[in-house]
Amino acid sequence: MLTQNTLDTLRQLKLTGMCDALEQQRAQPDTHDLAFEERLALLIDREVLHRENRRLDRLLKAARLRVPACVEDVDYRHPRGLERSRMAGLASCDWIRQSLNLCITGPTGCGKTWLACALGNQACRQGLSVRYLRVPRLFEQVRIAHGDGSYARLMNQLLKIDLLILDDWGMQKVTAQQRQDLMEVIEDRHGRGSTLIASQLPTEHWHDYIGSATLADAILDRLLHGAHRLNLKGESLRKAKAQNAESVDPS
């Protein structure tokens, strides 16, 4: 009865990890031989792990990453100019803590989105908040926010994110309103959060993509100054995988 009261109290205190660990200790006679301090340490460790896992689940859910990718699975065999040392530095996420940006450019199929999501996953695992958005979806959300009065709230949400991933940058020309909205997002986050841009368009063409010389200068100065860059090259990974699959003898 006393143990059940303890379990109920742990649940009321939302110490779910400790509660589960205590129930396991009751079911495992070997743990009864441990000293009180050792059993208590096991309970505390379990609670810490439980909370870390719950936080990671929340961060990953909020990030809405497009693909389930992680840095441990990066393929360095494909000749696309991706260096292990560069990826190791980026995987430390120190650049995010320093509010620096990252630009990943390269042709279709070279893994830009996958790498962006892998780094987003790594940031979540280190307790940092992440949000993945395709640029057209960002513009659509901002347009709706202008109309329903939620613009200030949306901008505040974007400001608080440690790493904002903007994919499909440069896919289509932007309107005057979209240029202004993009400027507001980039300006708000400048020096306060990191932005990762994934684009087929080389950075030297970004000025023409944005369109307005004055706003383009301001946006690119904030995005590219001091930013890390990954310029990928080579054939499509998807195409290479498809060719490899076709070359395998089905027998």
Side-chain angles (χ1 to χ4, degrees):
M1 181 62 70
L2 180 60
T3 303
Q4 186 58 50
N5 289 339
T6 301
L7 292 172
D8 292 341
T9 302
L10 289 173
R11 291 192 183 95
Q12 291 174 8
L13 294 173
K14 297 183 179 181
L15 298 173
T16 308
M18 292 186 70
C19 182
D20 293 342
L22 180 56
E23 289 185 313
Q24 287 185 359
Q25 287 188 9
R26 293 177 63 197
Q28 297 174 349
D30 292 346
T31 61
H32 300 169
D33 298 331
L34 298 175
F36 169 78
E37 291 80 3
E38 293 175 315
R39 294 185 65 180
L40 180 60
L42 291 173
L43 296 179
I44 294 173
D45 288 344
R46 182 65 172 275
E47 180 63 31
V48 171
L49 179 61
H50 177 75
R51 293 192 179 199
E52 289 177 348
N53 288 338
R54 285 188 60 190
R55 185 182 186 192
L56 176 58
D57 288 342
R58 289 196 300 269
L59 288 171
L60 287 173
K61 184 176 180 180
R64 304 177 188 177
L65 300 174
R66 187 171 183 175
V67 294
C70 58
V71 294
E72 292 84 358
D73 294 334
V74 174
D75 184 359
Y76 295 99
R77 296 170 299 175
H78 192 74
R80 49 178 172 165
L82 190 61
E83 300 175 357
R84 290 180 182 272
S85 58
R86 289 290 308 279
M87 280 303 298
L90 294 172
S92 72
C93 295
D94 288 340
W95 59 282
I96 302 176
R97 298 184 183 88
Q98 297 168 10
S99 298
L100 299 177
N101 299 327
L102 169 62
C103 303
I104 304 178
T105 57
T108 300
C110 66
K112 300 181 298 295
T113 296
W114 196 96
L115 288 173
C117 290
L119 290 170
N121 176 282
Q122 181 72 0
C124 289
R125 287 156 61 182
Q126 297 192 21
L128 300 169
S129 59
V130 178
R131 183 71 169 92
Y132 171 94
L133 280 169
R134 295 178 58 251
V135 171
R137 181 64 59 87
L138 170 67
F139 287 148
E140 178 65 11
Q141 289 189 4
V142 175
R143 184 190 66 80
I144 293 173
H146 278 302
D148 64 13
S150 62
Y151 178 77
R153 184 170 70 251
L154 174 61
M155 296 298 287
N156 190 50
Q157 291 172 349
L158 295 176
L159 171 61
K160 292 180 178 179
I161 297 169
D162 294 318
L163 174 62
L164 177 63
I165 300 174
L166 296 180
D167 198 2
D168 290 340
W169 172 278
M171 295 293 287
Q172 58 188 26
K173 289 289 186 179
V174 297
T175 66
Q177 182 61 58
Q178 289 171 341
R179 278 194 295 269
Q180 188 61 49
D181 292 334
L182 184 60
M183 178 63 196
E184 292 300 318
V185 172
I186 301 302
E187 170 62 24
D188 277 0
R189 295 182 52 77
H190 180 59
R192 291 183 281 185
S194 294
T195 302
L196 190 163
I197 303 291
S199 175
Q200 296 180 29
L201 195 66
T203 54
E204 57 265 29
H205 297 305
W206 287 10
H207 198 281
D208 293 337
Y209 158 63
I210 296 172
S212 169
T214 302
L215 282 179
D217 287 343
I219 291 171
L220 295 183
D221 177 67
R222 289 159 177 76
L223 272 180
L224 299 179
H225 180 71
H228 295 275
R229 303 191 190 190
L230 287 179
N231 299 314
L232 305 181
K233 58 185 179 180
E235 295 185 357
S236 168
L237 282 171
R238 289 190 290 268
K239 180 179 178 181
K241 289 179 179 179
Q243 290 175 342
N244 289 337
E246 291 175 358
S247 65
V248 175
D249 186 352
S251 62

